[in-house]
Amino acid sequence: MADDQKLTTREADFGAWYNELVLKAELADYSAVRGCMVIRPNGYGIWERSQRALDDMFKETGVENAYFPLFIPESYLKKEAEHVEGFAPETAVVTIGGGKTLEEPLVVRPTSETIIYSSFAKWVQSYRDLPLLVNQWCNVVRWEMRTRLFLRTMEFLWQEGHTAHATYDEAEAKTRQMLGIYRRYMEEWGAMPVITGRKTESEKFAGALRTYACEAMMQDNKALQANTSHNLGQNFSKAFGLSFQTEAGASEFAWSTSWGLSTRVIGGLVMTHGDDIGLRIPPRLAPTELVIVPIYRAEEQRAQVLSVASGIRAELAKSATPIRVRVDARENMTPGAKYYDWELRGVPLRLELGPRDLEKGQGVLVRRDTREKRPVPLGELARTAADLLVTIQRDMFESARARREAHSLRGPITYDRFRQVMDGEGGFVYAGWCGSDACESAIKDETKATIRVLPDPEFRSPEAPRTCMKCGKDATAEAMWAKAY
RNA sequence: CGGGGCGUAGCGUAGCCUGGUAUCGCGCCUGCUUUGGGAGCAGGAGGUCGCCGGUUCAAAUCCGGCCGCCCCGACCA
């Protein structure tokens, strides 16, 4: 029980806690390249579960997967004025290939709008070719100055969806639909409640007409933008000649959208659900949902317990609601050490199985989220475990939501009070905004808090704020303010 | 790019001020005993003390330079 086996507590130092957890739970590791990380199997398994969940939902809406090049001709990036301004400062550029200086430098994609819409332009002639619905799973590179595991690295994995439509309305609907899918993923898989809404001009994607996002609250009361969905209008279509012939025979530029979610959400998962013991993975994203820890003394007991354990694994794997089970048969650790190990790694359920249990035909099920133990007859294990996993998933979501609401502030607020809140505990503050850049940036300078989103109707306060928290003029919108990652 | 901190075994560290056989814990290997909340005993392996140079009989230690990483600020999914 040495202290060095314990994590720094969240209260003592949230940033240190996060780093230690990510490293000790073997989600990721630093790499030989500054600012780039290695995603280890424990972390990648969560990403794979996420990919499957999202990919299935994308495909239900008719989106197909494709793949576009890592390298983008530098001239492409420059074709959309706002876009290049936004991304040029943070690109990596290849100038030499095969030992020779390239005629045109190649940008390592920071995002793929430019190269994708240039292809779309070749593929679309008439309205009959629309909508075009494509997604790709890939890596992108942004030359960040300051990095943090998962939350901001120079290279990261994500998916980026790109669609082209015949009308503005259809593009807007697609943008909103994808935001909805992200929300479902966050809440139903990740057990991370989000506030959805629209980004302000200063926070929107460079080149977009408008940007929507899901914002989640971390346990230090800061906001994490978990994903974004952009209505690109005709900006990229015009830049890349993505036009089509309408039914009436006229030529029009297509309306496009793009939307992305990255491995950053794994950092969000850690900061939403982790505790001072370690990670807690919501069951639906857990590569292993239940781990069996065998307990035994004598050699005969070992064989017997392990045999029952592997029988249980097989049974649960093919039950009505299959459960991903792993048996921890490591010889060099005592059961107690294994408990700590799996709690650190966040596996949602543990089954302790020893000779005394076998005599009684039972096992001891332990929830990771509450650490509550209960004996369960082996005959009822499949159903009980399946039910518990559903319960854990729901409870984790509910407690995260309760936590967020406890740190959310609504109703009339003075600017002085707002500054106090942001200087202290922080949290989400819903308040009126006059719509001016001046107020927005003044507040950012003075408090480091920014408008995370102009919330969608269901997240707005019962009574709309009347005046701008900063200048006192009439409010044009309700804004949700927070310090952000 | 500014400010701070750190580089000694796989990990965490002592030693540095005051130069002289490289310390301890965890982990790892072997054996025996163990195993229901971080096992015990015994034996063992593992190091260009971040790199380069200087001072010195002698440098982890003193001096100069460089590199890397982490944290805090300015830009950002």
Side-chain angles (χ1 to χ4, degrees), chain A residues 184-249:
Chain A
R184 271 190 68 195
Y185 159 77
M186 291 293 291
E187 301 196 333
E188 293 176 23
W189 273 264
M192 291 180 272
V194 295
I195 304 296
T196 62
R198 186 180 164 180
K199 288 282 175 182
T200 63
E201 273 302 298
S202 68
E203 296 270 337
K204 80 170 170 57
F205 176 74
L209 212 55
R210 42 169 54 183
T211 291
Y212 299 98
C214 293
E215 294 282 336
M217 185 190 284
M218 305 293 104
Q219 291 184 70
D220 60 354
N221 300 337
K222 286 167 73 173
L224 183 80
Q225 177 177 303
N227 44 71
T228 48
S229 186
H230 316 290
N231 182 337
L232 302 175
Q234 293 174 309
N235 294 346
F236 286 91
S237 294
K238 284 176 178 168
F240 290 91
L242 170 50
S243 59
F244 66 99
Q245 199 165 21
T246 65
E247 210 171 342

Side-chain angles (χ1 to χ4, degrees), chain A residues 278-329:
Chain A
L279 182 57
R280 301 189 304 169
I281 311 175
R284 294 184 81 182
L285 288 184
T288 299
E289 293 169 286
L290 185 154
V291 63
I292 301 177
V293 177
I295 301 158
Y296 44 77
R297 286 170 196 273
E299 188 58 27
E300 321 82 72
Q301 287 178 338
R302 188 184 95 91
Q304 196 193 0
V305 171
L306 285 178
S307 139
V308 173
S310 69
I312 291 171
R313 182 184 54 191
E315 183 202 335
L316 296 192
K318 60 181 187 218
S319 74
T321 44
I323 298 174
R324 297 179 291 279
V325 179
R326 175 165 172 167
V327 178
D328 185 353

Side-chain angles (χ1 to χ4, degrees), chain A residues 191-449:
Chain A
M192 291 180 272
V194 295
I195 304 296
T196 62
R198 186 180 164 180
K199 288 282 175 182
T200 63
E201 273 302 298
S202 68
E203 296 270 337
K204 80 170 170 57
F205 176 74
L209 212 55
R210 42 169 54 183
T211 291
Y212 299 98
C214 293
E215 294 282 336
M217 185 190 284
M218 305 293 104
Q219 291 184 70
D220 60 354
N221 300 337
K222 286 167 73 173
L224 183 80
Q225 177 177 303
N227 44 71
T228 48
S229 186
H230 316 290
N231 182 337
L232 302 175
Q234 293 174 309
N235 294 346
F236 286 91
S237 294
K238 284 176 178 168
F240 290 91
L242 170 50
S243 59
F244 66 99
Q245 199 165 21
T246 65
E247 210 171 342
S251 178
E252 267 188 33
F253 287 112
W255 301 82
S256 64
T257 79
S258 70
W259 24 278
L261 176 146
S262 77
T263 41
R264 179 181 228 205
V265 293
I266 297 173
L269 197 80
V270 171
M271 291 193 292
T272 301
H273 298 305
D275 62 19
D276 291 343
I277 293 160
L279 182 57
R280 301 189 304 169
I281 311 175
R284 294 184 81 182
L285 288 184
T288 299
E289 293 169 286
L290 185 154
V291 63
I292 301 177
V293 177
I295 301 158
Y296 44 77
R297 286 170 196 273
E299 188 58 27
E300 321 82 72
Q301 287 178 338
R302 188 184 95 91
Q304 196 193 0
V305 171
L306 285 178
S307 139
V308 173
S310 69
I312 291 171
R313 182 184 54 191
E315 183 202 335
L316 296 192
K318 60 181 187 218
S319 74
T321 44
I323 298 174
R324 297 179 291 279
V325 179
R326 175 165 172 167
V327 178
D328 185 353
R330 285 177 290 183
E331 296 286 349
N332 56 344
M333 283 175 94
T334 59
K338 290 177 182 179
Y339 301 162
Y340 284 103
D341 195 44
W342 292 110
E343 284 169 357
L344 173 63
R345 293 167 135 79
V347 172
L349 268 185
R350 174 173 82 235
L351 181 70
E352 304 174 359
L353 196 65
R356 294 211 295 269
D357 295 311
L358 294 192
E359 277 172 30
K360 292 186 254 180
Q362 66 169 37
V364 176
L365 261 186
V366 188
R367 290 174 62 160
R368 170 62 182 91
D369 60 333
T370 60
R371 298 178 96 199
E372 168 200 344
K373 293 191 180 197
R374 67 155 91 163
V376 176
L378 293 184
E380 296 170 18
L381 188 61
R383 238 194 64 200
T384 306
D387 288 350
L388 258 183
L389 288 168
V390 171
T391 303
I392 292 170
Q393 182 81 34
R394 190 192 57 222
D395 288 358
M396 287 180 71
F397 175 76
E398 285 305 334
S399 76
R401 188 165 66 176
R403 188 179 181 290
R404 181 191 69 192
E405 290 309 304
H407 295 275
S408 294
L409 216 55
R410 293 177 185 270
I413 185 170
T414 64
Y415 187 55
D416 278 348
R417 172 78 184 122
F418 176 80
R419 294 187 70 156
Q420 269 175 22
V421 171
M422 288 303 160
D423 274 346
E425 274 222 312
F428 288 3
V429 175
Y430 297 76
W433 178 47
C434 64
S436 81
D437 284 350
C439 284
E440 187 185 14
S441 70
I443 291 174
K444 181 177 180 178
D445 291 344
E446 290 167 14
T447 68
K448 286 174 192 155

Side-chain angles (χ1 to χ4, degrees), chain A residues 1 4 33 45 107 109 131 152 194 211 259 344 364 431 458 483:
Chain A
M1 184 63 73
D4 63 349
V33 183
V107 171
R109 63 181 165 219
R152 175 159 296 105
V194 295
T211 291
W259 24 278
L344 173 63
V364 176
E458 61 189 294
K483 289 188 192 170

Side-chain angles (χ1 to χ4, degrees), chain A residues 60-244:
Chain A
E60 272 172 34
T61 70
V63 172
E64 295 179 298
N65 283 331
Y67 187 78
F68 294 82
L70 168 70
F71 298 123
I72 298 176
E74 194 175 45
S75 58
Y76 279 36
L77 206 69
K78 294 180 175 164
K79 286 190 181 179
E80 213 288 331
E82 196 182 326
H83 189 64
V84 65
E85 196 182 320
F87 282 102
E90 53 183 73
T91 54
V93 182
V94 178
T95 57
I96 296 174
K100 290 181 185 167
T101 300
L102 302 178
E103 274 189 33
E104 179 179 359
L106 296 171
V107 171
V108 179
R109 63 181 165 219
T111 178
S112 303
E113 274 74 9
T114 58
I115 196 146
I116 288 181
Y117 295 117
S118 73
S119 286
F120 278 15
K122 287 165 62 180
W123 301 339
V124 172
Q125 272 93 47
S126 98
Y127 70 95
R128 294 183 196 278
D129 298 321
L130 298 174
L132 191 49
L133 311 172
V134 170
N135 176 64
Q136 75 170 346
W137 291 94
C138 66
N139 59 341
V140 287
V141 167
R142 299 178 188 178
W143 212 260
E144 299 292 346
M145 297 162 124
R146 211 177 129 205
T147 59
R148 290 196 70 184
L149 295 171
F150 285 116
L151 301 174
R152 175 159 296 105
T153 48
M154 297 213 307
E155 179 191 15
F156 57 92
L157 305 182
W158 75 345
Q159 57 69 219
E160 50 176 324
H162 297 268
T163 69
H165 306 266
T167 66
Y168 167 86
D169 286 345
E170 205 182 305
E172 176 67 11
K174 180 59 69 177
T175 310
R176 296 290 314 182
Q177 179 188 36
M178 290 306 165
L179 185 74
I181 284 179
Y182 287 141
R183 182 181 175 190
R184 271 190 68 195
Y185 159 77
M186 291 293 291
E187 301 196 333
E188 293 176 23
W189 273 264
M192 291 180 272
V194 295
I195 304 296
T196 62
R198 186 180 164 180
K199 288 282 175 182
T200 63
E201 273 302 298
S202 68
E203 296 270 337
K204 80 170 170 57
F205 176 74
L209 212 55
R210 42 169 54 183
T211 291
Y212 299 98
C214 293
E215 294 282 336
M217 185 190 284
M218 305 293 104
Q219 291 184 70
D220 60 354
N221 300 337
K222 286 167 73 173
L224 183 80
Q225 177 177 303
N227 44 71
T228 48
S229 186
H230 316 290
N231 182 337
L232 302 175
Q234 293 174 309
N235 294 346
F236 286 91
S237 294
K238 284 176 178 168
F240 290 91
L242 170 50
S243 59
F244 66 99

